[in-house]
Each structure stands twice: as structure tokens, then as C-alpha cells.
């Protein structure tokens, strides 16, 4: 079974703090994704990585950056957390190739609250 | 403009009853259409994935149908169980010729099954 794990289920941070969300997958997938999910809006793509050190912006990259130093690990960084970044953050991975072709496997999510 | 519309937004049914969830999309052309189940506080889990040439796919008590001509899909749940209470998300993917295809997420239908 594919396993995607995220470092925290719940996180509370203060405005202005630097926040790291970690995601690890154990299936040697090339593609990894970070989404945020807000009530009534559905999932929105923040960043996508198709290889180590490679990344592409998604629909809402502002205020976020990412890091992929190893194939199995994809980190989402909030450089200076703000209250409008309070959300559920979901990581996903999929096999290589066209990202839209293969099934994505999601982690359990991190509920981040910025106060 | 949201290119994937789901209806109804929420639905309550009694245990043992059947129900059908709808998904209309405007994405064209598309690579595949997926249905995900997301339990509260968890990441989405794939139920079915269909290419444009398939018109039905089953996974246990879940049956998805696709009409690529009318750009409609439905998810039929048979003999509902309490554990079916979840959000069901329709996702349409579009190959735009780059590694990052494009995934369009519906906002989900929240299903509640009462005993």
C-alpha cells in the first residue's frame, strides 16, 4: 500500500512565524503535490514537484515556498505565516509522467491554525 | 469559473438506501475523471478513475458512470452504510502537454447516512 505521511496532524502557529510542513511518501513516486483545502472551496494546488529539486507553481503559490531535496520528501514552507493561511494542508504523490494521468495518493492532512 | 460542479452540495439518507451524486464539468479535452471519498479530518481516498472512453466503473457498492458527450458523471452508492458518511469529490484531469497536467476539483457533496 502507498503510504503518504505528514509530520503533524494539528499545528498552531503565531502570525509572522516561519512554518515547515513535511510530507514523506514511501512508494518511490516522482510527483508530489501540496494542496490546501478550505470549506466551500475544495482543494487548490499550491505547488507541484516532478523530480528532486524541481518544482512548479500551482494555482495559489503566493506566501508559500517548497523544497524537495530527496525524492521521498516534499516540504511546504510558509515564510511568514498569516491568519489567512489557516487551513487544512494536504500532501499527495503519484507516479512519474503526466501528473493528470495517474492516481494521486493523499496524506492525512495537517490542520494549521495561525493566530 | 469553477469547471467542475457537483450536486447536491449535501445529502442525508437513511442507512440501507441508495443515492446518486452528480458531477458536471466543462473541462475539455480531459484525460480522466475520478471520484474520491474524504472522511472528516482525513485525506481523500480514490474510489474510481475513468478515462474518456469508459462509461462505467464499479468499486464494491460504488458505481461511477461517465457521459463524455454531455460532460456528466454520477456516483451511485448502493445499500448505504453509516461508514459512507463523507465528502465525495469529483476530479477531472486535463493533459495540457506539460508534466503538470491539470486537475480540476469539485467542491464535493457531503453525504450523511443516518441509522
Amino acid at each position: 500500500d502507498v503510504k503518504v505521511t505528514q509530520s503533524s496532524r494539528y499545528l498552531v502557529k503565531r502570525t509572522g512565524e516561519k512554518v515547515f510542513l513535511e510530507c514523506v511518501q514511501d512508494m518511490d513516486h516522482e510527483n508530489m503535490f501540496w494542496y490546501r483545502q478550505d470549506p466551500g472551496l475544495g482543494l487548490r494546488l499550491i505547488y507541484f514537484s516532478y523530480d528532486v529539486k524541481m518544482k512548479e507553481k500551482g494555482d495559489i503559490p503566493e506566501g508559500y515556498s517548497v523544497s524537495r531535496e530527496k525524492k521521498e520528501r516534499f516540504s511546504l514552507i510558509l515564510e511568514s505565516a498569516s491568519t489567512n493561511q489557516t487551513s487544512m494542508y494536504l500532501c499527495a504523490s503519484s507516479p512519474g509522467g503526466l501528473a493528470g494521468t495517474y492516481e494521486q495518493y493523499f496524506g492525512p492532512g495537517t490542520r494549521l491554525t495561525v493566530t | 469559473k469553477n469547471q467542475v460542479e457537483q450536486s447536491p452540495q449535501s445529502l442525508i439518507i437513511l442507512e440501507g438506501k441508495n443515492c446518486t451524486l452528480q458531477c458536471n464539468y466543462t473541462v475539455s479535452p480531459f484525460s480522466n475523471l475520478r471520484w474520491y471519498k474524504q472522511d472528516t479530518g482525513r485525506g481523500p481516498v480514490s474510489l474510481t478513475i475513468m478515462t474518456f472512453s469508459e462509461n462505467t466503473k464499479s468499486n464494491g457498492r460504488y458505481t461511477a458512470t461517465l457521459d463524455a458527450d454531455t460532460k456528466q458523471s454520477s456516483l451511485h452508492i448502493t445499500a448505504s452504510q453509516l461508514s459512507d458518511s463523507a465528502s465525495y469529490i469529483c476530479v477531472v484531469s486535463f493533459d495540457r502537454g506539460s508534466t503538470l497536467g491539470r486537475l480540476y476539483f469539485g467542491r464535493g457533496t457531503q453525504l450523511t447516512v443516518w441509522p
Side-chain angles (χ1 to χ4, degrees):
Chain A
D1 274 354
V2 175
K3 191 150 186 172
V4 180
T5 57
Q6 296 183 226
S7 51
S8 304
R9 291 301 309 277
Y10 300 94
L11 208 53
V12 179
K13 295 292 182 181
R14 292 187 184 274
T15 300
E17 278 193 82
K18 191 169 186 176
V19 182
F20 293 87
L21 302 183
E22 303 281 339
C23 175
V24 177
Q25 50 95 3
D26 66 357
M27 282 302 292
D28 202 36
H29 284 168
E30 281 77 13
N31 297 331
M32 296 188 75
F33 309 79
W34 274 108
Y35 295 92
R36 65 178 281 176
Q37 185 177 33
D38 300 290
L41 292 180
L43 276 80
R44 293 179 291 168
L45 181 65
I46 305 172
Y47 265 100
F48 159 64
S49 170
Y50 54 92
D51 202 350
V52 174
K53 297 190 188 295
M54 306 304 287
K55 62 186 180 185
E56 282 192 26
K57 293 180 180 179
D59 297 320
I60 52 165
E62 297 78 20
Y64 304 94
S65 62
V66 291
S67 172
R68 191 159 180 208
E69 298 295 321
K70 293 185 178 181
K71 190 176 185 180
E72 68 271 17
R73 188 179 298 269
F74 192 32
S75 301
L76 180 69
I77 303 156
L78 287 66
E79 295 291 341
S80 177
S82 63
T83 55
N84 63 13
Q85 293 178 309
T86 292
S87 186
M88 169 74 103
Y89 289 88
L90 289 160
C91 175
S93 73
S94 73
L98 294 170
T101 302
Y102 299 100
E103 182 174 338
Q104 292 190 14
Y105 298 86
F106 286 84
T110 295
R111 185 162 295 282
L112 172 68
T113 302
V114 182
T115 61
Chain B
K1 181 179 179 298
N2 192 348
Q3 302 204 35
V4 180
E5 298 286 349
Q6 291 187 242
S7 62
Q9 188 174 354
S10 62
L11 181 64
I12 300 174
I13 62 172
L14 293 177
E15 188 179 13
K17 298 297 185 183
N18 304 335
C19 67
T20 300
L21 314 181
Q22 300 289 345
C23 174
N24 295 335
Y25 62 92
T26 58
V27 179
S28 182
F30 81 100
S31 301
N32 56 61
L33 185 144
R34 315 157 190 210
W35 284 93
Y36 282 88
K37 178 188 178 188
Q38 185 176 21
D39 293 315
T40 301
R42 314 293 294 184
V45 174
S46 178
L47 293 175
T48 64
I49 180 168
M50 291 183 290
T51 66
F52 66 89
S53 61
E54 297 176 289
N55 55 24
T56 187
K57 184 161 277 191
S58 292
N59 178 359
R61 295 179 297 102
Y62 301 100
T63 299
T65 63
L66 173 63
D67 185 334
D69 292 331
T70 61
K71 296 185 172 60
Q72 295 180 326
S73 176
S74 63
L75 181 69
H76 187 73
I77 304 174
T78 304
S80 61
Q81 300 176 358
L82 298 179
S83 58
D84 292 332
S85 294
S87 178
Y88 291 84
I89 303 171
C90 175
V91 184
V92 179
S93 73
F94 160 48
D95 171 14
R96 64 180 187 192
S98 65
T99 302
L100 176 62
R102 186 69 171 84
L103 293 180
Y104 293 89
F105 288 83
R107 296 176 182 177
T109 291
Q110 183 65 45
L111 174 67
T112 303
V113 180
W114 283 1

